[in-house]
Amino acid sequence: MKGVNIAAKMGSTEAVIAAVEANMGISVISSLAVEKAIQNRNVKAFQLKDFNVSRTFYVSCLRDNINLPPVSSFLSFIKKC
């Protein structure tokens, strides 16, 4: 993101929210991640117009469980999404 001055990097989403709550700055964060702080009225959220972000998600399971029917069914389902 050109023109953005990153002042700090946090180790978790919760750390970012805590920093905003402590008046240390502002952040762009998922509305789901900040939902509790919004409900508690600790922070104010604004929807960003024409701001689309994509993310990569991973699925993990224990190697020994990969062939269990519920696990293999879920993996087959998620691969279609």
Side-chain angles (χ1 to χ4, degrees):
M1 294 173 55
K2 294 180 182 177
V4 175
N5 181 19
I6 299 173
K9 292 186 180 183
M10 304 286 170
S12 69
T13 303
E14 292 81 9
V16 172
I17 295 167
V20 171
E21 289 175 325
N23 200 27
M24 295 175 68
I26 63 173
S27 179
V28 175
I29 195 167
S30 161
S31 61
L32 293 175
V34 76
E35 192 172 75
K36 184 178 178 183
I38 293 169
Q39 289 174 352
N40 292 338
R41 300 185 191 273
N42 294 340
V43 299
K44 174 72 175 164
F46 301 91
Q47 186 172 359
L48 302 175
K49 185 177 180 182
D50 299 325
F51 186 78
N52 298 311
V53 178
S54 64
R55 296 172 64 177
T56 302
F57 290 91
Y58 298 89
V59 176
S60 63
C61 69
L62 292 174
R63 188 180 309 265
D64 293 343
N65 293 347
I66 200 159
N67 292 318
L68 293 175
V71 175
S72 60
S73 292
F74 177 73
L75 293 174
S76 295
F77 170 78
I78 204 76
K79 287 177 183 178
K80 295 176 186 175
C81 295

